Amino acid sequence: MDVTLKNIKLVPHPTARSQAISTKKISAGSVVVSVPAFTSALLEAEKGQRCDTCFRLPPDGEKLKKCTGCASYFYCDTRCQKVQWDLEHKRVCKSYSLMISYLHGQQFSQHERMDVILLSHFLGRTLKTKPVSSADNSHDPFSIFLSLLPGSHASQRTLDSIPKSLILDDSLVQDIYSRFGNNNFTIHSHLNSIGHGVFPLASRLFNHSCIPNAAPRYVQGPAQPVLMEVVALRDTDVGEEICIPYLDPALTQSRSQIFQYTYGFTCQCSSCRDISQLGQIPKPPDSSETMSSLGDELREYVGVSDVLGAELPTPSLSDLPLGLRCALHESYMEQLSEQFSKASHEGDYITAFGSGLILLALYLLIYPTNYPQIGLHLLELAKTHWNALITMETSGVGAEIRSQVRIFLSHANRILRIYGKEGDEHGPLDELVKLDELLSADT
Ligand SMILES: [Zn+2]
Ligand SMILES: [Zn+2]
Ligand SMILES: [Zn+2]
């Protein structure tokens, strides 16, 4: 496939099939490429809450319109309904209810149900079309999808669950299914998962890295499927490979297995090399005393003091001391996040400040520069400190906390502006502006 886009091109890669390298200098925050969803499906928890075509929430006080055929698909308006009807729903509508009761009757897991629903959308969309394989039409998304490397095949049980009306050719269904698991993106809004989608060109172009220099964000617009925009997280030079994360780099223990079994590759990024050289990752201690000294040591190693400097630290994983290796245990981040959000929610600010800063140190250790999760967490830290300021008896330390809010906010602002606006209205960028206004009005 000959792909040359505005600022990248595909060239051979020593171990992977190919790589997308930049043909121009790309600055942080620029969109490298935009790819519309070829097919997408909402998570079960979002079904009925969002439009099935554009994934937007209805405006306040308004209700979505239900498809009268299946009573299971919901739309903003007739435009959104028509887009999906013409694309695929007219072939899926009649068989949808039967398919869903079959999936529940056969006790398919939520994950398996998602795959089958997405597959039914895909088949509905492609039923009447043939992939165009001539070189001239190599930008046809269906052809690109079928040119991706296959993963595991569908089980008989999965094949049996697909409505017969959607199957023209058994082997084509297998060809499609085998490219599902490893080419499926989680669509998010404000970084919260809302659905899954297939974006063939993005799959074809970008290799994975756990410390990527780009990341996908999802943009919603009226009467159109969700658009993936791949955003540069930092300035890149001509000839540099552009990589995106296929999964959350915070899966420090499980990711190498997921790459091997689901994606069929071994990640060669420096983070994976460093982690594998650190050897076995021990469990974090149980006692709260040892836990808190682990947190202090981690903050010291990374360089996260109570008041952050003008630059965020970029700690090295390879020099991580033996005693801090347990911080890479996946349960540690989970525990810290839980502790931080519970304490901020309950107004236990001393605990929230402590666990929030340890969590920041851990994010800086694991995630690459300008990763949106770091920005979002800095915004949470700013909000927590602000809430403490206005609710607590802070006489004497008020000025100090106020200046901390300002520093968190300025780092959050820089990182979240690079990532840009994603998904629903009233997102983190709006919260930043609001908090900044409150802060200015207060001083
Ligand atoms: Zn819509
Ligand atoms: Zn319907
Ligand atoms: Zn890696």
Side-chain angles (χ1 to χ4, degrees):
M1 180 182 154
D2 170 37
V3 177
T4 306
L5 292 142
K6 207 174 63 189
N7 42 20
I8 46 169
K9 65 173 180 185
L10 267 186
V11 299
H13 184 279
T15 52
R17 188 177 177 192
S18 56
Q19 58 182 326
I21 59 159
S22 50
T23 52
K24 289 180 184 157
K25 279 188 179 231
I26 300 176
S27 54
S30 319
V31 174
V32 180
V33 67
S34 306
V35 187
F38 184 66
T39 192
S40 57
L42 285 170
L43 292 184
E44 282 175 9
E46 301 292 331
K47 193 83 180 143
Q49 312 292 316
R50 295 174 178 277
C51 171
D52 276 289
T53 299
C54 69
F55 281 25
R56 289 180 304 165
L57 294 165
D60 276 346
E62 283 184 36
K63 274 190 159 176
L64 296 167
K65 321 266 178 303
K66 202 190 292 186
C67 169
T68 48
C70 59
S72 300
Y73 280 71
F74 297 82
Y75 304 99
C76 304
D77 49 32
T78 45
R79 279 173 69 209
C80 278
Q81 179 168 28
K82 186 169 176 354
V83 167
Q84 195 171 53
W85 183 261
D86 292 345
L87 270 180
E88 39 95 350
H89 193 62
K90 63 183 168 197
R91 299 181 201 100
V92 175
C93 186
K94 261 202 189 119
S95 47
Y96 183 79
S97 304
L98 256 174
M99 179 179 81
I100 293 298
S101 29
Y102 184 88
L103 294 176
H104 284 281
Q106 297 291 315
Q107 295 180 333
F108 276 60
S109 68
Q110 195 174 329
H111 176 82
E112 292 173 307
R113 292 200 294 273
M114 184 67 188
D115 269 0
V116 173
I117 293 166
L118 196 56
L119 184 60
S120 75
H121 291 184
F122 195 110
L123 292 171
R125 169 147 192 188
T126 56
L127 194 63
K128 299 283 179 209
T129 50
K130 286 260 173 295
V132 190
S133 47
S134 80
D136 294 335
N137 284 296
S138 57
H139 285 254
D140 161 54
F142 190 19
S143 306
I144 297 174
F145 184 78
L146 289 176
S147 78
L148 301 172
L149 300 175
S152 52
H153 273 72
S155 63
Q156 192 55 46
R157 158 182 145 92
T158 302
L159 291 176
D160 290 344
S161 70
I162 302 164
K164 296 291 161 278
S165 59
L166 291 175
I167 302 179
L168 275 187
D169 173 347
D170 281 340
S171 71
L172 184 60
V173 173
Q174 277 294 9
D175 281 346
I176 293 171
Y177 182 88
S178 62
R179 286 162 179 85
F180 251 62
N182 51 349
N183 289 295
N184 215 322
F185 287 90
T186 301
I187 296 172
H188 32 78
S189 166
H190 310 165
L191 301 176
N192 292 317
S193 312
I194 56 172
H196 285 218
V198 175
F199 300 84
L201 183 62
S203 295
R204 183 66 189 89
L205 288 173
F206 302 107
N207 290 322
H208 162 86
S209 169
C210 306
I211 39 168
N213 51 9
R217 71 170 177 225
Y218 298 92
V219 179
Q220 307 162 350
Q224 63 176 47
V226 170
L227 189 71
M228 176 201 282
E229 292 183 338
V230 174
V231 187
L233 296 179
R234 56 173 174 77
D235 296 346
T236 51
D237 281 329
V238 177
E240 209 177 317
E241 183 181 5
I242 308 291
C243 291
I244 60 171
Y246 289 179
L247 45 90
D248 187 353
L251 297 169
T252 40
Q253 293 173 284
S254 49
R255 68 190 192 200
S256 72
Q257 280 207 341
I258 302 177
F259 294 140
Q260 207 175 337
Y261 295 115
T262 308
Y263 294 89
F265 69 85
T266 306
C267 184
Q268 309 277 357
C269 82
S270 66
S271 166
C272 283
R273 266 204 315 272
D274 290 343
I275 289 179
S276 80
Q277 270 164 17
L278 292 175
Q280 186 77 30
I281 298 173
K283 267 189 84 160
D286 286 330
S287 88
S288 58
E289 218 171 285
T290 348
M291 266 295 268
S292 103
S293 73
L294 170 67
D296 292 344
E297 281 169 46
L298 181 65
R299 279 181 57 184
E300 197 184 326
Y301 175 74
V302 173
V304 171
S305 50
D306 286 349
V307 182
L308 297 176
E311 299 273 329
L312 290 174
T314 49
S316 130
L317 257 180
S318 57
D319 301 329
L320 196 69
L322 196 62
L324 286 182
R325 287 182 194 172
C326 59
L328 297 178
H329 200 276
E330 285 171 19
S331 67
Y332 187 54
M333 188 182 278
E334 264 168 51
Q335 213 175 328
L336 282 173
S337 315
E338 225 166 86
Q339 201 176 61
F340 172 64
S341 62
K342 185 166 178 278
S344 346
H345 189 73
E346 289 172 355
D348 175 4
Y349 294 115
I350 301 301
T351 308
F353 292 174
S355 50
L357 286 168
I358 303 170
L359 190 57
L360 176 64
L362 190 57
Y363 277 10
L364 291 170
L365 183 66
I366 291 173
Y367 288 129
T369 308
N370 299 336
Y371 205 64
Q373 266 77 359
I374 300 175
L376 208 56
H377 183 57
L378 284 157
L379 174 61
E380 288 306 317
L381 280 168
K383 279 158 56 183
T384 305
H385 281 71
W386 172 258
N387 289 338
L389 192 67
I390 56 172
T391 52
M392 257 170 47
E393 187 57 56
T394 52
S395 53
V397 291
E400 195 184 309
I401 296 183
R402 188 170 285 112
S403 91
Q404 281 170 305
V405 176
R406 206 164 275 131
I407 296 169
F408 289 135
L409 210 54
S410 88
H411 285 298
N413 187 53
R414 190 179 47 76
I415 295 175
L416 292 173
R417 294 222 174 267
I418 289 173
Y419 187 59
K421 181 180 184 297
E422 182 191 64
D424 302 329
E425 297 300 317
H426 312 301
L429 292 178
D430 303 293
E431 289 185 42
L432 272 172
V433 172
K434 212 168 102 192
L435 187 50
D436 192 49
E437 282 168 5
L438 287 171
L439 199 61
S440 312
D442 187 56
T443 41

